[in-house]
Short mmCIF file of all heavy atoms in Angstrom, two decimals:
data_model
loop_
_atom_site.label_atom_id
_atom_site.label_comp_id
_atom_site.label_asym_id
_atom_site.label_seq_id
_atom_site.Cartn_x
_atom_site.Cartn_y
_atom_site.Cartn_z
N SER A 229 11.50 -24.07 -15.27
CA SER A 229 10.23 -24.80 -15.36
C SER A 229 10.23 -26.06 -14.51
O SER A 229 9.22 -26.42 -13.91
CB SER A 229 9.93 -25.14 -16.82
OG SER A 229 10.97 -25.92 -17.38
N ARG A 233 7.63 -26.82 -11.42
CA ARG A 233 6.76 -28.00 -11.34
C ARG A 233 6.96 -28.73 -10.03
O ARG A 233 6.01 -29.23 -9.44
CB ARG A 233 7.01 -28.93 -12.53
CG ARG A 233 6.41 -28.42 -13.83
CD ARG A 233 6.32 -29.53 -14.85
NE ARG A 233 7.61 -29.94 -15.34
CZ ARG A 233 8.22 -29.40 -16.39
NH1 ARG A 233 7.64 -28.39 -17.04
NH2 ARG A 233 9.38 -29.82 -16.80
N GLU A 235 7.85 -27.40 -7.15
CA GLU A 235 7.21 -26.60 -6.11
C GLU A 235 5.70 -26.74 -6.19
O GLU A 235 5.01 -26.86 -5.18
CB GLU A 235 7.60 -25.13 -6.28
CG GLU A 235 6.91 -24.19 -5.30
CD GLU A 235 7.08 -22.73 -5.69
OE1 GLU A 235 7.06 -22.43 -6.90
OE2 GLU A 235 7.21 -21.92 -4.78
N THR A 241 2.15 -36.92 -3.06
CA THR A 241 3.00 -38.09 -2.84
C THR A 241 2.20 -39.34 -3.19
O THR A 241 0.97 -39.32 -3.18
CB THR A 241 3.45 -38.16 -1.37
OG1 THR A 241 2.30 -38.16 -0.52
CG2 THR A 241 4.35 -37.00 -1.02
N ALA A 244 5.58 -41.26 -7.81
CA ALA A 244 4.91 -41.73 -9.02
C ALA A 244 3.63 -40.95 -9.28
O ALA A 244 3.32 -40.59 -10.43
CB ALA A 244 4.60 -43.22 -8.91
N ALA A 251 2.83 -35.14 -15.91
CA ALA A 251 2.64 -35.63 -17.28
C ALA A 251 1.24 -35.28 -17.79
O ALA A 251 1.07 -34.91 -18.96
CB ALA A 251 2.86 -37.14 -17.31
N VAL A 253 -0.67 -32.76 -16.88
CA VAL A 253 -0.73 -31.32 -17.16
C VAL A 253 -0.18 -31.03 -18.55
O VAL A 253 -0.80 -30.30 -19.35
CB VAL A 253 0.06 -30.53 -16.10
CG1 VAL A 253 0.30 -29.10 -16.56
CG2 VAL A 253 -0.69 -30.52 -14.77
N GLY A 274 6.78 -42.17 -18.02
CA GLY A 274 7.68 -43.31 -18.04
C GLY A 274 7.12 -44.51 -17.30
O GLY A 274 7.87 -45.30 -16.71
N SER A 276 3.73 -47.63 -17.15
CA SER A 276 2.75 -48.38 -17.95
C SER A 276 1.36 -47.86 -17.65
O SER A 276 1.10 -47.32 -16.57
CB SER A 276 2.83 -49.87 -17.59
OG SER A 276 2.33 -50.09 -16.28
N TYR A 284 -4.58 -43.28 -9.68
CA TYR A 284 -5.77 -42.53 -10.11
C TYR A 284 -6.71 -43.49 -10.84
O TYR A 284 -6.31 -44.16 -11.78
CB TYR A 284 -5.37 -41.37 -11.04
CG TYR A 284 -4.39 -40.42 -10.39
CD1 TYR A 284 -3.03 -40.51 -10.67
CD2 TYR A 284 -4.83 -39.45 -9.49
CE1 TYR A 284 -2.13 -39.65 -10.06
CE2 TYR A 284 -3.93 -38.59 -8.88
CZ TYR A 284 -2.59 -38.69 -9.17
OH TYR A 284 -1.70 -37.85 -8.56
N ALA A 317 -6.21 -0.24 -1.76
CA ALA A 317 -5.43 -0.15 -3.01
C ALA A 317 -4.18 -0.99 -2.93
O ALA A 317 -3.81 -1.68 -3.89
CB ALA A 317 -5.08 1.30 -3.32
N ARG A 319 -3.74 -3.64 -1.01
CA ARG A 319 -4.10 -5.05 -0.98
C ARG A 319 -4.58 -5.54 -2.34
O ARG A 319 -4.27 -6.66 -2.75
CB ARG A 319 -5.17 -5.29 0.09
CG ARG A 319 -4.60 -5.17 1.51
CD ARG A 319 -5.62 -5.54 2.57
NE ARG A 319 -6.61 -4.49 2.74
CZ ARG A 319 -7.92 -4.68 2.73
NH1 ARG A 319 -8.42 -5.89 2.52
NH2 ARG A 319 -8.75 -3.68 2.92
N GLN A 342 -7.85 -23.61 -15.53
CA GLN A 342 -8.89 -22.61 -15.81
C GLN A 342 -9.79 -22.96 -16.99
O GLN A 342 -10.94 -22.50 -17.04
CB GLN A 342 -8.25 -21.24 -16.05
CG GLN A 342 -7.44 -20.70 -14.88
CD GLN A 342 -8.30 -20.33 -13.67
OE1 GLN A 342 -9.52 -20.41 -13.71
NE2 GLN A 342 -7.65 -19.93 -12.60
N GLY A 346 -15.02 -27.90 -17.94
CA GLY A 346 -16.18 -28.57 -18.50
C GLY A 346 -16.06 -30.07 -18.59
O GLY A 346 -17.07 -30.77 -18.75
N GLU A 350 -19.83 -34.08 -12.49
CA GLU A 350 -20.72 -33.11 -11.87
C GLU A 350 -20.32 -32.76 -10.44
O GLU A 350 -20.26 -31.57 -10.06
CB GLU A 350 -22.15 -33.64 -11.89
CG GLU A 350 -23.18 -32.67 -11.36
CD GLU A 350 -24.60 -33.19 -11.48
OE1 GLU A 350 -24.80 -34.24 -12.13
OE2 GLU A 350 -25.50 -32.54 -10.93
N HIS A 352 -17.40 -33.14 -8.96
CA HIS A 352 -16.10 -32.47 -8.94
C HIS A 352 -16.21 -31.04 -9.45
O HIS A 352 -15.58 -30.12 -8.91
CB HIS A 352 -15.09 -33.26 -9.79
CG HIS A 352 -14.66 -34.53 -9.15
ND1 HIS A 352 -14.06 -35.57 -9.86
CD2 HIS A 352 -14.72 -34.95 -7.87
CE1 HIS A 352 -13.79 -36.55 -9.04
NE2 HIS A 352 -14.18 -36.21 -7.84
N TYR A 353 -17.03 -30.85 -10.47
CA TYR A 353 -17.25 -29.51 -11.00
C TYR A 353 -17.84 -28.60 -9.91
O TYR A 353 -17.42 -27.45 -9.75
CB TYR A 353 -18.20 -29.58 -12.20
CG TYR A 353 -18.51 -28.25 -12.82
CD1 TYR A 353 -17.63 -27.63 -13.71
CD2 TYR A 353 -19.71 -27.59 -12.52
CE1 TYR A 353 -17.92 -26.40 -14.27
CE2 TYR A 353 -20.02 -26.36 -13.09
CZ TYR A 353 -19.12 -25.77 -13.96
OH TYR A 353 -19.42 -24.55 -14.51
N VAL A 357 -16.24 -25.13 -8.53
CA VAL A 357 -17.03 -23.89 -8.61
C VAL A 357 -17.10 -23.22 -7.24
O VAL A 357 -17.03 -21.99 -7.13
CB VAL A 357 -18.44 -24.17 -9.16
CG1 VAL A 357 -19.36 -22.97 -8.94
CG2 VAL A 357 -18.37 -24.49 -10.65
N SER A 363 -12.74 -17.42 -4.32
CA SER A 363 -11.77 -16.49 -4.92
C SER A 363 -12.47 -15.18 -5.29
O SER A 363 -11.94 -14.09 -5.05
CB SER A 363 -11.15 -17.12 -6.17
OG SER A 363 -10.32 -18.22 -5.83
N ALA A 376 -15.98 1.51 0.38
CA ALA A 376 -16.40 2.02 1.69
C ALA A 376 -15.47 3.11 2.20
O ALA A 376 -15.91 4.07 2.85
CB ALA A 376 -16.47 0.87 2.70
N ASP A 384 -20.48 -0.96 -9.97
CA ASP A 384 -20.90 -2.37 -10.02
C ASP A 384 -19.76 -3.23 -9.48
O ASP A 384 -18.85 -3.62 -10.21
CB ASP A 384 -21.22 -2.76 -11.47
CG ASP A 384 -21.72 -4.19 -11.60
OD1 ASP A 384 -21.65 -4.95 -10.61
OD2 ASP A 384 -22.16 -4.57 -12.71
N LEU A 393 -10.81 -10.57 -12.16
CA LEU A 393 -10.39 -11.97 -12.18
C LEU A 393 -10.17 -12.47 -13.60
O LEU A 393 -9.21 -13.19 -13.88
CB LEU A 393 -11.43 -12.84 -11.47
CG LEU A 393 -11.47 -12.69 -9.95
CD1 LEU A 393 -12.69 -13.39 -9.37
CD2 LEU A 393 -10.20 -13.23 -9.31
N ALA A 400 -2.77 -16.73 -18.41
CA ALA A 400 -2.36 -18.12 -18.65
C ALA A 400 -2.53 -18.51 -20.11
O ALA A 400 -1.80 -19.37 -20.62
CB ALA A 400 -3.15 -19.07 -17.77
N LYS A 408 8.88 -10.87 -24.15
CA LYS A 408 9.65 -9.71 -23.68
C LYS A 408 9.42 -9.41 -22.21
O LYS A 408 10.31 -8.85 -21.56
CB LYS A 408 9.28 -8.48 -24.52
CG LYS A 408 9.69 -8.58 -25.99
CD LYS A 408 9.33 -7.31 -26.74
CE LYS A 408 9.78 -7.41 -28.20
NZ LYS A 408 9.41 -6.18 -28.98
N HIS A 418 -0.57 -5.35 -14.83
CA HIS A 418 -1.97 -5.64 -14.52
C HIS A 418 -2.43 -4.97 -13.23
O HIS A 418 -3.60 -4.58 -13.12
CB HIS A 418 -2.18 -7.15 -14.46
CG HIS A 418 -2.32 -7.79 -15.80
ND1 HIS A 418 -1.30 -7.77 -16.73
CD2 HIS A 418 -3.36 -8.46 -16.39
CE1 HIS A 418 -1.70 -8.40 -17.83
NE2 HIS A 418 -2.93 -8.82 -17.64
N ALA A 419 -1.53 -4.85 -12.26
CA ALA A 419 -1.90 -4.15 -11.02
C ALA A 419 -2.28 -2.71 -11.34
O ALA A 419 -3.28 -2.18 -10.80
CB ALA A 419 -0.74 -4.19 -10.02
N GLY A 420 -1.52 -2.06 -12.20
CA GLY A 420 -1.85 -0.70 -12.60
C GLY A 420 -3.16 -0.62 -13.36
O GLY A 420 -3.97 0.29 -13.13
N GLY A 434 3.22 -0.14 -3.72
CA GLY A 434 4.20 -1.21 -3.76
C GLY A 434 3.66 -2.47 -3.15
O GLY A 434 2.76 -2.45 -2.31
#
Side-chain angles (χ1 to χ4, degrees):
S229 59
R233 285 197 290 271
E235 176 193 37
T241 56
V253 165
S276 70
Y284 302 99
R319 289 185 285 129
Q342 300 291 357
E350 184 176 351
H352 288 161
Y353 180 80
V357 167
S363 292
D384 182 350
L393 288 169
K408 294 182 179 179
H418 280 62

